[in-house]
Amino acid sequence: MSLKPFKSIGIGVAYSPNLKANLFEAARLSVFFEAKLFLIHVGDPSEEKTNMLSIILKSFEKDNLDFEVVFKTGDPVNVILSISEDKKIDLLILGAVRRERILKYYVGSIARKITRRAKCSILLLIKPSVERLPCQHIVVNGLKDPKTEQTITSAFYVAKQLKSSKITIVEEIEQDEIHVKVDDDKSLRRANIVKERIKLRENSRVKEIISHIPKAFTENKTIKLQPIFGKRGYSIGHYAQISRADLLIMNGPSKMTFWDRLFPHDIEHILTELPTDVLILQ
């Protein structure tokens, strides 16, 4: 399993009130992950714009930040996706916006389209900040899936680079796995026994994954296993919210089709209402 998933980071540059905060977040992550940063601007090349971006990032000179400004005209979604592929970007940073009058964040139309189509990992930021806010608690999915071992391994790498102290691995379990119809006390006890057996099985599976991760990445970390019975995507999002996680890490979807949007799967639930910053790993 790879322990260095991000060698290059990209971010779309739009001249908005959040520009400096977004750039600072992207620059910090590039320094933490020792990755090259690509600033993607949809529009014609401009020395004035390049100089302005360099001035904003000047404070990162001492950290030897390696960055490149890339200009290209066209549809924003297509431009960002094509440059991400051309530059072999491993992690693309996108901003989310707050819904009017309520403290809930969702992915705007451009970011949502990019998230569905991107072949690289995506980081959705809900509250970018010029001053660094420590990432102390990371929640990561532990569901049974071919991608999960790499996702958990990468989560420990991210935690080490960001100096996070706590990782919670959430094993989402569908209710129909219980196979017991509860209609009296006896069937309730039987259902609870089945639940406990499933929890033990899931915890054992995740512990096996963790055992393969080098100790340098797991030591000095508070590691919690949290089996949850419920709807995938919604359950882990709710848990990340109530546990005040600073980052939620999810498997990237294998495909995003028209039918996926009619019958939402886990990522679609997360995109509808972001509980915190979300990292979707491909």
Side-chain angles (χ1 to χ4, degrees):
M1 295 291 111
S2 172
L3 276 167
K4 194 178 189 319
F6 311 128
K7 297 177 182 176
S8 57
I9 294 175
I11 183 169
V13 176
Y15 296 95
S16 69
N18 280 339
L19 174 61
K20 185 175 181 180
N22 285 329
L23 289 179
F24 270 53
E25 292 283 11
R28 275 194 294 265
L29 289 172
S30 296
V31 171
F32 289 147
F33 295 135
E34 299 176 345
K36 182 171 182 176
L37 176 62
F38 291 92
L39 308 178
I40 304 168
H41 179 68
V42 181
D44 294 315
S46 164
E47 188 175 342
E48 180 184 356
K49 291 175 182 176
T50 300
N51 290 338
M52 184 190 72
L53 295 172
S54 297
I55 290 170
I56 293 174
L57 293 174
K58 189 172 181 58
S59 62
F60 291 92
E61 280 184 359
K62 66 183 186 303
D63 302 305
N64 298 314
L65 174 67
D66 181 12
F67 74 92
E68 177 183 337
V69 185
V70 185
F71 294 93
K72 187 174 180 179
T73 58
D75 172 76
V77 173
N78 292 332
V79 166
I80 292 172
L81 289 172
S82 65
I83 291 176
S84 296
E85 288 197 45
D86 291 344
K87 298 296 184 179
K88 295 181 170 56
I89 288 171
D90 300 308
L91 175 64
L92 184 61
I93 300 174
L94 302 172
V97 294
R98 202 179 87 181
R99 283 179 174 161
E100 299 255 349
R101 297 184 295 278
I102 51 177
L103 290 172
K104 292 181 180 177
Y105 294 80
Y106 70 99
V107 179
S109 59
I110 291 176
R112 187 182 288 267
K113 289 174 183 176
I114 293 171
T115 301
R116 286 173 173 155
R117 292 170 54 188
K119 296 178 181 178
C120 62
S121 297
I122 298 286
L123 174 62
L124 298 166
L125 290 178
I126 64 173
K127 291 181 287 186
S129 173
V130 171
E131 297 297 325
R132 190 193 176 217
L133 302 176
C135 180
Q136 297 174 328
H137 181 200
I138 293 175
V139 170
V140 56
N141 70 232
L143 58 89
K144 191 174 182 180
D145 184 270
K147 293 184 176 182
T148 294
E149 183 172 359
Q150 178 64 69
T151 297
I152 292 175
T153 301
S154 297
F156 276 92
Y157 168 79
V158 170
K160 182 174 175 61
Q161 301 308 108
L162 300 185
K163 296 180 171 57
S164 305
S165 58
K166 181 179 180 182
I167 292 183
T168 300
I169 302 171
V170 174
E171 307 137 26
E172 291 179 291
I173 307 164
E174 297 283 2
Q175 286 284 357
D176 57 15
E177 283 198 46
I178 300 173
H179 301 304
V180 176
K181 183 181 178 181
V182 177
D183 48 22
D184 56 24
D185 289 345
K186 186 176 180 180
S187 59
L188 177 60
R189 285 194 298 271
R190 192 161 64 250
N192 286 335
I193 290 170
V194 171
K195 276 189 175 184
E196 288 306 310
R197 286 175 179 168
I198 293 173
K199 287 180 181 180
L200 289 172
R201 181 197 72 198
E202 292 299 294
N203 284 349
S204 176
R205 177 179 57 79
V206 171
K207 285 178 182 177
E208 178 67 18
I209 292 174
I210 296 171
S211 72
H212 297 153
I213 300 172
K215 287 187 178 180
F217 291 85
T218 58
E219 64 186 1
N220 302 320
K221 295 278 186 291
T222 300
I223 303 171
K224 180 180 178 181
L225 307 186
Q226 183 65 58
I228 295 179
F229 289 86
K231 193 170 188 63
R232 286 185 176 177
Y234 175 80
S235 300
I236 193 171
H238 181 67
Y239 180 85
Q241 187 174 40
I242 63 171
S243 65
R244 297 175 183 262
D246 301 298
L247 179 65
L248 171 61
I249 301 181
M250 302 283 292
N251 291 348
S254 298
K255 60 181 179 178
M256 287 289 230
T257 68
F258 170 77
W259 294 108
D260 291 326
R261 293 191 282 278
L262 279 185
F263 305 99
H265 48 54
D266 48 359
I267 292 298
E268 288 294 306
H269 286 295
I270 296 297
L271 297 183
T272 301
E273 190 175 303
L274 298 176
T276 184
D277 292 344
V278 176
L279 173 58
I280 303 169
L281 292 175
Q282 291 289 1

